[in-house]
Amino acid sequence: MDLNQLKKNWDEFGKTDPLWAILTFPDRKGGKWDPEEFFASGRREIAAVMDKAQAFGLPARREAALDFGCGVGRLTQALCSWFDRCCGVDIAPSMIELARRYNAHGGRCEYVLNASSDLQMFPGGAFDLVYSKIVLQHMEPRYSTSYIGEFVRVLRPGGLVVFQIPERPRAVLPPGQGTCGPMPDGGFRALLTGYPAAIRAVGGSRVSVPVTVQNVGECTWPSRGDREMKFLVHLGNHWLTPKGETVVWDDRRQPLPYDLPPRASIQMAISVTAPLSGGKYILELDMVQEGVAWFKHKYSATARVQAEIEPPPMPVASTAAGAPPRMEMYGVERDQVIGILASGGAKVLDIVPDSSAPEWIGFQYLATKL
């Protein structure tokens, strides 16, 4: 969903079940969170973060902290015990209103509504700590990657940025005989045929796209990986503009049903989700060895399908009368995140596995600005 729909969706969460929408424990749904218990969880989380930060001797100063995607201020309030000033930013007006009501730190803590795809309301180098948890995963990669770049921009040199984002869904796969490690470059060769030249779809709908996949590389493609599901080969896709610019980098994954040896072919189908905004797009199909590389980055040809997307007859956002709000999940590949941080002048200090989204493989990133 685009930012306007995301705003409406989370504003509805803020009006109906705000604390559960932030910490989705099954036994707390329906207004069953005790506020004191809820905010205490934030204090424990930030204390653990600051203990880890201390091991790096960061941040160099503790004047200002930013809580991105603050919701009702669970973490912003906790940060006030560690920093002189704290600012919480959120896209939902109802969440900001509640955060201001819960504010126990007066003028030292402020909450700001931001519905843009950047943080231009803040100057560069404004914060000593930028923190975000279980936020970026709910927005399309075109937005989450933009915000990651902004985290670095608003970070002061010697500051610390800490955020979590998933990389890809976990897969349950049948046994295979493939290698449990990166393939040689010569293994990243695929021939994709039998796909339609063009498709039409309504924004937000699912479309099944058939394709014949042939392994024209020098080694067998594995259908299973290590414990974190790295190294297995999937069929995946990207959505691009007619000029080839990325709209959605990571949409769906379709696993191989078995190991695919050189020269072997298999007929597959991948179910993709059409972009919500109507218009012309390119659906790009490609193979990927998880945790290693997309085939096209090893100079293998992809398949490109022309797509005509019709806008949905009504907003897909679930704030329509009688429809509950929903949470969408997205991931960004680890190498892409590292590249964004580096391009902004940040140095990655640590990347640790994160289980905030149990059905996804994700990571928490710690970085400083040089």
Side-chain angles (χ1 to χ4, degrees):
M1 58 180 72
D2 64 23
L3 282 181
N4 186 53
Q5 292 164 329
L6 193 68
K7 176 181 178 180
K8 292 179 180 178
N9 200 59
W10 283 89
D11 192 47
E12 187 65 17
F13 273 124
K15 294 175 181 177
T16 56
D17 204 354
L19 305 192
W20 175 83
I22 295 165
L23 287 184
T24 56
F25 292 10
D27 61 345
R28 298 295 191 271
K29 191 171 185 179
K32 295 179 181 177
W33 263 111
D34 173 68
E36 176 54 37
E37 181 187 7
F38 177 82
F39 282 96
S41 72
R43 292 192 291 272
R44 290 192 297 271
E45 180 175 324
I46 292 302
V49 169
M50 296 307 296
D51 281 348
K52 188 162 190 175
Q54 187 173 0
F56 293 102
L58 296 171
R61 297 155 67 176
R62 293 190 180 180
E63 294 178 8
L66 176 67
D67 176 16
F68 178 80
C70 64
V72 302
R74 181 180 75 99
L75 302 172
T76 327
Q77 294 293 295
L79 285 166
C80 285
S81 297
W82 301 86
F83 292 86
D84 297 337
R85 294 177 291 104
C86 297
C87 180
V89 171
D90 203 273
I91 197 171
S94 60
M95 292 288 191
I96 290 293
E97 181 181 350
L98 283 170
R100 289 169 177 165
R101 291 183 193 174
Y102 281 121
N103 181 21
H105 298 276
R108 292 181 51 227
C109 182
E110 66 171 334
Y111 293 99
V112 179
L113 181 68
N114 179 42
S116 68
S117 60
D118 54 42
L119 296 173
Q120 290 300 318
M121 63 177 62
F122 302 116
F127 298 100
D128 301 295
L129 175 77
V130 178
Y131 188 73
S132 185
K133 184 71 175 288
I134 52 177
V135 176
L136 297 173
Q137 64 190 36
H138 295 308
M139 60 185 71
E140 294 181 11
R142 57 174 164 158
Y143 301 124
S144 60
T145 54
S146 172
Y147 287 128
I148 291 170
E150 285 288 85
F151 292 170
V152 179
R153 184 187 66 81
V154 301
L155 188 68
R156 181 177 292 162
L160 182 68
V161 56
V162 183
F163 61 92
Q164 158 271 339
I165 190 169
E167 182 179 49
R168 62 189 184 278
R170 296 186 184 275
V172 178
L173 299 173
Q177 301 299 320
T179 180
C180 192
M183 297 188 300
D185 285 353
F188 291 82
R189 299 291 182 269
L191 178 62
L192 307 180
T193 59
Y195 54 88
I199 59 172
R200 294 179 64 90
V202 175
S205 66
R206 296 283 286 273
V207 184
S208 181
V209 181
V211 59
T212 298
V213 178
Q214 183 179 11
N215 180 351
V216 293
E218 64 183 35
C219 67
T220 296
W221 294 347
S223 61
R224 66 177 180 181
D226 66 2
R227 284 185 171 182
E228 293 186 346
M229 296 302 174
K230 288 167 57 178
F231 309 128
L232 54 93
V233 172
H234 276 154
L235 170 66
N237 78 288
H238 319 298
W239 289 97
L240 313 175
T241 68
K243 293 183 179 180
E245 300 166 339
T246 302
V247 176
V248 177
W249 175 256
D250 219 352
D251 181 7
R252 304 292 295 180
R253 293 283 209 277
Q254 183 64 37
L256 295 171
Y258 46 80
D259 293 354
L260 198 66
R263 296 178 296 282
S265 298
I266 184 173
Q267 291 184 335
M268 302 182 68
I270 184 169
S271 180
V272 300
T273 303
L276 285 173
S277 301
K280 295 182 182 297
Y281 295 87
I282 295 173
L283 171 64
E284 183 176 53
L285 306 178
D286 193 12
M287 307 301 293
V288 58
Q289 186 180 31
E290 301 293 357
V292 182
W294 286 88
F295 278 39
K296 76 174 191 176
H297 293 155
K298 301 287 187 177
Y299 307 105
S300 180
T302 62
R304 290 195 168 192
V305 180
Q306 300 298 317
E308 183 76 30
I309 306 301
E310 300 175 10
M314 62 178 59
V316 177
S318 51
T319 52
R326 71 182 190 275
M327 295 183 189
E328 294 187 345
M329 287 291 298
Y330 301 92
V332 177
E333 288 193 338
R334 179 166 44 178
D335 288 348
Q336 187 177 6
V337 173
I338 294 172
I340 294 169
L341 292 170
S343 66
K347 176 185 178 181
V348 176
L349 301 172
D350 199 9
I351 301 174
V352 296
D354 179 88
S355 58
S356 300
E359 295 182 355
W360 290 65
I361 294 171
F363 303 95
Q364 183 185 66
Y365 298 83
L366 290 84
T368 188
K369 192 170 184 178
L370 303 177

